[in-house]
Amino acid sequence: MKRLLASLSCVLLFACSSDKNLAGASTVETENACIINVVNINSKPAANVVARIRPLWYVEGVSSNSAVTQNNIQDATLEVAADSLGNIVMDSINFDKGYIEIIDGNSGVFQAIASSDLKKNKLTTMQMEELGSVTGKAALPEGTDYAWVQIYGTDKIVKTNKDGEFTLDSLPPASYQIRAILPDEQATIGEASITISAGEKSDIQALAKPTLENEQLEQWAHVRTIPLDSTISDWMKPIAETTVVFVRLNETNFDFSEAMDNGNDIRFTDQSGNRLAFKRAFWNSTTPDTPQSAEFQIRIDGSSSVENLEMYWGKTAALDASASNDIWASLPDSLVKAIHSITLIDFENQKLESAFDYGDGPREWYFHPQDTNVTTTPSSENIQDAFESSKERGGYVFHWKSTSKTRGKWSMIGSRVSRVPSSLEGIDSIAFYAKGKGELGFAVEVLNEPTGKTKYVDYLDSTWKRFCFTPSDFVEGDGEFGNMGWDFVKPRVTTFTIWIVDESEMWIDDVILYGVNRDNFN
């Protein structure tokens, strides 16, 4: 994300004072407005100075070619000019908390400002003081020539030298939060809290390495409340004491331009601000001609009383807070299987149909040869004969033979599992049990235009074997016979097919997808 785009949806109006006879007040109408009286170092009114008010999360932007650019976050900076008596009158502000900055010549003031403070119905005085400066050093990664150093709540940004050294000057006395980021805005390499004294030059030595524990979520531009119930489908209820819930984003419910290109800035807390462990299953915001989408898996511990999730986004150069598979640690296997896998088909009802209800009923599977050159036993007209009871598998399996007059011909079972294309980018693996002889294949397809598929190919053994493969095991896309590869197929899957080729025979059972659940098909 090269620039944050503000989504400041609410304007807070402050009814701060109804007294028109405040000392030093201007002739400006002050009914239902707040007044800040700014005075110079000599305690005289700071006439006509300009105050710039920015949210806590504001930092000046950096372009992709490492040149300083104006951060054009809509409505992020409010500019208000003082009158001849140094009075600044405000009747609205576009954010809850921020900073007010006033610089005039060699003096200035920088203070935190909040809507709650402005509502105290008081006349506030701000004293200008002599400006100060600070020097420091950021540890540059090997091969990096420089970094940018930014100050939150200001438009100040400086470029380090090749040794990571920098100077920030013309700073009003105050406490500041600063950070150093790489030129592409994808990573923060140092941060610090600094205090500037009037007329003095400080040295903070080296910036500290950023950590997730020291993050301040007030520095994120956007937050959304997500009721926990909205993340839990009816088929998942009743939920376990400790479980994992899913948040899925797409172009209709999320503006991906407001987040980092890789989704590193996403965070989740409960309604009380307690951090929640989560895993970013996938994030797709930049692939050309592919719908933007993402999925997050959030762990909810049984000891907590979570009612709402708070999702934060909108911070450049954020650390990656996505956890590993630890979010599933210690959960019962039965729970993980129930909410994080799908049995596509298990043949137990001796019907060629899906093993679960998609919400509007199970999906039918089909069985047919490629063309008249292929003969199957049983035939597609006698499909019921293909269901066999297996002691080894402890239930019913599907069994057929395939013969062909010419080489390279196949017979198959398959199903259009989704009426509309579905994103299955979060798939961890696909598994099934099979035995027999000959070559087998498994394809994931898109039958909506533009069509294409990706495929996995292996060979059958005479004894039962568990075949398990991940997306990296699919044949690389080469365009031959519609093989476009996994990256082409994964955001809009419609169909699964399983086939055997030439003189082959296969028994198959329990086709399972891991890393997704039935909501991925809705």
Side-chain angles (χ1 to χ4, degrees):
M1 180 184 65
K2 302 309 177 189
R3 297 185 180 122
L4 291 173
L5 303 177
S7 178
L8 304 173
S9 58
C10 58
V11 175
L12 305 177
L13 302 179
F14 308 122
C16 297
S17 175
S18 58
D19 186 352
K20 298 182 181 180
N21 299 312
L22 293 171
S26 71
T27 57
V28 176
E29 176 63 52
T30 59
E31 187 76 27
N32 295 322
C34 301
I35 298 177
I36 298 174
N37 183 242
V38 186
V39 296
N40 284 316
I41 295 176
N42 58 12
S43 297
K44 293 183 178 181
N48 305 317
V49 295
V50 176
R52 292 175 175 83
I53 303 152
R54 303 179 179 94
L56 288 179
W57 46 262
Y58 185 97
V59 286
E60 188 63 10
V62 177
S63 72
S64 59
N65 63 2
S66 302
V68 179
T69 61
Q70 178 66 30
N71 193 328
N72 66 344
I73 305 173
Q74 183 181 5
D75 297 330
T77 300
L78 173 66
E79 292 190 356
V80 184
D83 62 14
S84 60
L85 298 178
N87 291 325
I88 294 173
V89 180
M90 292 189 299
D91 60 5
S92 66
I93 190 172
N94 290 348
F95 31 82
D96 290 332
K97 295 181 180 181
Y99 296 103
I100 181 169
E101 179 188 49
I102 304 170
I103 296 178
D104 186 39
N106 295 321
S107 64
V109 63
F110 183 81
Q111 289 188 20
I113 189 170
S115 60
S116 57
D117 295 335
L118 295 176
K119 290 179 179 178
K120 290 180 179 178
N121 199 26
K122 293 181 180 179
L123 171 66
T124 299
T125 298
M126 292 187 178
Q127 175 85 47
M128 304 271 278
E129 296 183 83
E130 186 179 355
L131 303 179
S133 63
V134 64
T135 59
K137 184 175 182 179
L140 300 181
E142 185 176 352
T144 303
D145 296 329
Y146 66 92
W148 292 108
V149 180
Q150 303 162 308
I151 304 181
Y152 282 96
T154 80
D155 60 357
K156 289 184 170 55
I157 182 170
V158 297
K159 188 177 182 180
T160 72
N161 62 20
K162 62 181 179 59
D163 296 319
E165 298 167 338
F166 63 89
T167 298
L168 291 162
D169 53 23
S170 300
L171 300 177
S175 295
Y176 295 89
Q177 300 292 324
I178 70 172
R179 69 171 185 173
I181 64 172
L182 295 181
D184 61 2
E185 292 189 290
Q186 293 301 305
T188 299
I189 60 173
E191 56 189 12
S193 298
I194 62 173
T195 299
I196 301 298
S197 300
E200 295 186 6
K201 184 174 184 178
S202 304
D203 186 359
I204 57 174
Q205 304 296 322
L207 299 183
K209 184 178 180 180
T211 64
L212 293 173
E213 292 74 20
N214 292 331
E215 286 183 342
Q216 301 178 43
L217 290 178
E218 289 180 329
Q219 294 173 351
W220 267 249
H222 308 290
V223 61
R224 175 188 298 174
T225 298
I226 304 173
L228 183 63
D229 282 348
S230 70
T231 68
I232 303 170
S233 300
D234 288 342
W235 63 266
M236 299 172 68
K237 298 176 181 178
I239 65 171
E241 286 192 358
T242 297
T243 190
V244 172
V245 299
F246 301 81
V247 171
R248 296 180 175 91
L249 306 177
N250 55 52
E251 294 171 344
T252 66
N253 63 17
F254 187 75
D255 186 348
F256 284 82
S257 70
E258 294 177 345
M260 290 180 66
D261 289 343
N262 54 15
N264 276 2
D265 55 330
I266 305 295
R267 301 289 187 270
F268 292 94
T269 73
D270 64 14
Q271 69 275 5
S272 300
N274 300 307
R275 296 292 188 103
L276 298 175
F278 69 92
K279 178 183 178 181
R280 186 176 59 252
F282 64 86
W283 177 276
N284 184 14
S285 67
T286 59
T287 304
D289 303 321
T290 300
Q292 293 178 314
S293 60
E295 178 182 291
F296 293 87
Q297 302 161 3
I298 304 105
R299 183 178 176 113
I300 307 297
D301 288 319
S303 59
S304 62
S305 300
V306 180
E307 298 177 357
N308 296 316
L309 306 179
E310 302 293 333
M311 185 177 81
Y312 293 81
W313 73 98
K315 182 180 181 180
T316 56
L319 297 176
D320 185 3
S322 176
S324 65
N325 286 329
D326 289 344
I327 63 166
W328 299 95
S330 75
L331 294 181
D333 290 343
S334 58
L335 174 64
V336 176
K337 182 178 180 180
I339 67 175
H340 205 220
S341 70
I342 297 174
T343 299
L344 284 180
I345 190 167
D346 60 13
F347 310 107
E348 292 306 316
N349 61 0
Q350 301 178 62
K351 293 181 180 179
L352 209 55
E353 65 180 20
S354 60
F356 70 95
D357 189 331
Y358 285 76
D360 56 357
R363 298 282 190 270
E364 290 186 356
W365 283 58
Y366 44 80
F367 169 53
H368 63 74
Q370 181 176 357
D371 55 35
T372 57
N373 289 305
V374 180
T375 301
T376 63
T377 305
S379 66
S380 55
E381 290 79 13
N382 298 308
I383 192 172
Q384 200 62 34
D385 294 338
F387 297 97
E388 295 183 3
S389 178
S390 169
K391 290 183 179 180
E392 296 167 291
R393 292 295 304 147
Y396 282 91
V397 301
F398 193 79
H399 169 219
W400 87 95
K401 295 180 181 179
S402 183
T403 60
S404 176
K405 297 177 182 178
T406 57
R407 288 188 57 80
K409 297 290 184 177
W410 46 257
S411 59
M412 62 183 289
I413 60 172
S415 175
R416 180 165 182 135
V417 294
S418 182
R419 303 192 191 285
V420 295
S422 298
S423 174
L424 297 186
E425 297 188 59
I427 280 183
D428 293 329
S429 60
I430 301 171
F432 57 87
Y433 288 87
K435 72 173 184 175
K437 65 176 182 178
E439 178 184 307
L440 71 85
F442 190 106
V444 184
E445 301 184 68
V446 180
L447 296 186
N448 290 36
E449 293 291 341
T451 62
K453 66 183 178 184
T454 188
K455 62 182 181 179
Y456 167 81
V457 178
D458 210 328
Y459 292 89
L460 293 157
D461 292 333
S462 59
T463 57
W464 283 102
K465 173 184 174 182
R466 184 175 185 263
F467 292 83
C468 184
F469 50 95
T470 68
S472 63
D473 295 317
F474 284 119
V475 175
E476 185 176 351
D478 54 14
E480 186 175 357
F481 301 112
N483 178 40
M484 306 302 293
W486 174 242
D487 287 341
F488 177 87
V489 172
K490 64 184 180 182
R492 48 198 191 91
V493 173
T494 62
T495 306
F496 293 99
T497 56
I498 305 167
W499 73 87
I500 53 178
V501 181
D502 297 331
E503 304 291 324
S504 299
E505 181 177 17
M506 179 162 69
W507 288 259
I508 187 169
D509 191 22
D510 290 347
V511 182
I512 302 175
L513 309 182
Y514 293 95
V516 294
N517 62 38
R518 65 183 66 183
D519 288 342
N520 288 96
F521 295 100
N522 295 328

